[in-house]
């Protein structure tokens, strides 16, 4: 019986590995925006806050012509790499890697639950990306995890129906995240210890000197975005919408122009610095909410945690 379970477990692990590799490869080839562009802003231009704009029901920013910025909470998604510095150029990408669906859910719902401590969100994400045992999280972080994730996702993190998969997979290579997982395994409660291992205080290795940290990236809808990480816990994002992008109704082809970085990641374009999952704005002031037709909503929306789900039973 045990032998059959182990065989089944290894099959599931190998199958998931193949699916994940294929999916991530397609994502990296098709979705990472490296469309470098030149934007000529007047020298005295000063951005206004993104939070002055109207929002969608999902929290996205409904853009209008102008120059904007806001600071967003960010989270380390690649333990064992250098803390971002002014040397590092960053661009936007979909979340990739192990349990990316759960990582996206945590990032997106962290905006809806701004009362949850940023450290608790970070510890949960470190636990997920390092493939740690969910039960090794502190009771406080576990409680917040139940607020950020669906019962089904928590069930999966606990090992799912085949708990043996968890014990087998814990012995497989995990892309340099072993030290973080070891801290969880020994029951460490020191955030500083996790941070010391996960966020290296050393210069990054610059691989592409032609990418600059103030570089703009042109979006498909003809507006521009750039990213300035302020350490691994915060990023300043700037957006520029030129005149003429929107029609007289403030739309493009009958749709609002919506910018929403939450649930994505900022990745280094020229170095081996941290990959940063993007959460909600540091200062989130909602001026007005605009209802968007269902067919016009951005595709990346994550379901709320439903208490009546049967997945956890």
């Amino acid at each position: 019986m045990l032998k059959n379970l182990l065989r089944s477990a290894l099959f599931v692990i190998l199958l998931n590995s193949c699916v994940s590799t294929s999916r991530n490869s397609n994502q990296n080839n098709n979705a990472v925006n490296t469309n470098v562009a030149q934007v000529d802003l007047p020298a005295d231009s000063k951005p206004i806050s993104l939070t002055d704009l109207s929002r969608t029901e999902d929290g996205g920013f409904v853009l209008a012509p102008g120059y904007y910025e806001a600071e967003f909470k960010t989270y380390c998604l690649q333990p064992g790499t250098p803390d971002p510095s002014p040397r590092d150029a960053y661009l936007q990408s979909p979340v990739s890697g192990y349990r990316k669906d759960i990582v996206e859910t945590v990032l997106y719902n962290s905006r809806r639950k701004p009362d949850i401590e940023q450290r608790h969100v970070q510890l949960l994400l470190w636990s997920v990306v390092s493939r740690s045992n969910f039960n090794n999280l502190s009771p406080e972080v576990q409680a917040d995890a139940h607020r950020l994730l669906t019962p089904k996702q928590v069930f999966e993190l606990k090992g799912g129906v085949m708990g043996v998969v968890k014990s087998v997979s814990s012995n497989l290579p995990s892309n340099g995240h072993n030290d973080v997982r070891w801290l969880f395994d020994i029951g460490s409660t020191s955030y500083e210890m996790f941070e010391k291992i996960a966020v290296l205080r050393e210069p990054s290795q610059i691989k592409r000197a032609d990418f600059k940290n103030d570089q703009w990236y042109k979006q498909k809808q003809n507006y521009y975005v750039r990213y300035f990480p302020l350490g691994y816990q915060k990023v300043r994002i700037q957006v520029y919408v030129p005149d003429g992008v929107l029609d007289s109704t403030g739309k493009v082809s009958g749709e609002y122009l919506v910018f929403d970085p939450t649930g994505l990641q900022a990745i280094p374009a020229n170095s081996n610095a941290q990959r940063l999952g993007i959460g909600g704005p540091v200062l989130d002031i909602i001026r007005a909410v605009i209802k968007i037709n269902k067919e016009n909503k951005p595709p990346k929306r994550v379901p709320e945690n439903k208490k009546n789900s049967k997945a956890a039973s």
Side-chain angles (χ1 to χ4, degrees):
M1 178 67 177
L2 180 58
K3 185 180 293 186
N4 289 336
L5 282 174
L6 289 173
R7 286 176 180 172
S8 299
L10 288 173
F11 174 76
V12 171
I13 293 168
L14 291 174
L15 179 62
N16 286 340
S17 176
C18 293
V19 172
S20 177
T21 300
S22 174
R23 184 181 299 142
N24 293 338
S25 175
N26 290 335
Q27 224 176 33
N28 291 334
N29 288 337
N30 299 330
V32 178
N33 183 357
T34 57
N35 191 6
V36 172
Q38 180 68 37
V39 173
D40 296 319
L41 287 171
D44 58 348
S45 295
K46 293 184 179 180
I48 61 176
S49 176
L50 270 172
T51 58
D52 286 343
L53 294 171
S54 299
R55 305 282 283 276
T56 68
E57 293 173 290
D58 290 325
F61 299 91
V62 180
L63 296 177
Y67 177 29
Y68 307 93
E69 75 171 18
E71 293 181 353
F72 290 77
K73 298 176 183 178
T74 53
Y75 302 89
C76 162
L77 297 183
Q78 193 173 20
T81 53
D83 198 22
S85 74
R87 303 168 65 248
D88 304 300
Y90 272 76
L91 51 81
Q92 181 178 295
S93 164
V95 171
S96 59
Y98 182 71
R99 296 287 195 190
K100 74 178 190 68
D101 57 327
I102 291 180
V103 171
E104 289 171 348
T105 304
V106 171
L107 293 172
Y108 182 67
N109 284 338
S110 69
R111 176 173 66 191
R112 300 185 177 190
K113 315 288 184 183
D115 59 303
I116 295 179
E117 287 188 35
Q118 187 168 356
R119 287 188 171 197
H120 286 188
V121 178
Q122 180 64 82
L123 286 168
L124 173 59
L125 288 170
W126 276 332
S127 174
V128 172
V129 300
S130 66
R131 310 185 187 202
S132 301
N133 189 328
F134 180 86
N135 295 315
N136 289 336
L137 290 167
S138 70
E140 294 80 11
V141 176
Q142 287 193 39
D144 285 336
H146 281 280
R147 297 179 61 200
L148 293 167
L149 298 169
T150 65
K152 180 181 178 181
Q153 289 172 321
V154 173
F155 186 57
E156 291 173 358
L157 291 179
K158 289 182 176 180
V161 175
M162 297 177 62
V164 66
V165 173
K166 193 71 175 179
S167 62
V168 173
S169 66
S170 65
N171 294 319
L172 297 177
S174 60
N175 301 321
H177 298 174
N178 295 332
D179 290 340
V180 168
R181 188 170 65 238
W182 174 76
L183 282 179
F184 283 114
D185 289 344
I186 65 173
S188 175
T189 59
S190 170
Y191 183 86
E192 288 70 26
M193 285 296 295
F194 282 99
E195 185 180 56
K196 185 175 181 180
I197 289 176
V199 186
L200 303 183
R201 306 300 184 180
E202 62 183 42
S204 60
Q205 299 173 13
I206 301 297
K207 301 174 182 178
R208 292 286 305 273
D210 52 318
F211 276 86
K212 305 302 180 183
N213 70 336
D214 62 349
Q215 184 65 63
W216 289 96
Y217 296 90
K218 188 175 183 179
Q219 310 301 298
K220 290 181 179 179
Q221 299 83 359
N222 295 318
Y223 68 98
Y224 303 86
V225 180
R226 61 182 176 182
Y227 303 81
F228 298 96
L230 307 172
Y232 79 96
Q233 293 178 310
K234 186 164 59 176
V235 64
R236 179 182 297 117
I237 301 179
Q238 294 187 338
V239 179
Y240 173 60
V241 183
D243 291 332
V245 170
L246 306 178
D247 61 24
S248 60
T249 67
K251 299 179 180 179
V252 178
S253 301
E255 298 182 6
Y256 289 104
L257 187 59
V258 178
F259 174 68
D260 187 2
T262 299
L264 300 173
Q265 64 177 345
I267 64 174
N270 65 343
S271 72
N272 67 331
Q274 290 276 334
R275 287 174 174 257
L276 305 173
I278 304 174
V282 174
L283 296 175
D284 201 359
I285 303 172
I286 299 178
R287 305 293 183 184
V289 175
I290 294 180
K291 292 185 178 181
I292 305 293
N293 293 333
K294 289 184 178 179
E295 61 270 22
N296 294 337
K297 284 187 177 181
K300 64 166 195 69
R301 295 302 87 173
V302 182
E304 282 281 9
N305 187 342
K306 296 182 180 179
K307 294 183 179 179
N308 60 350
S309 174
K310 298 180 180 180
S313 61

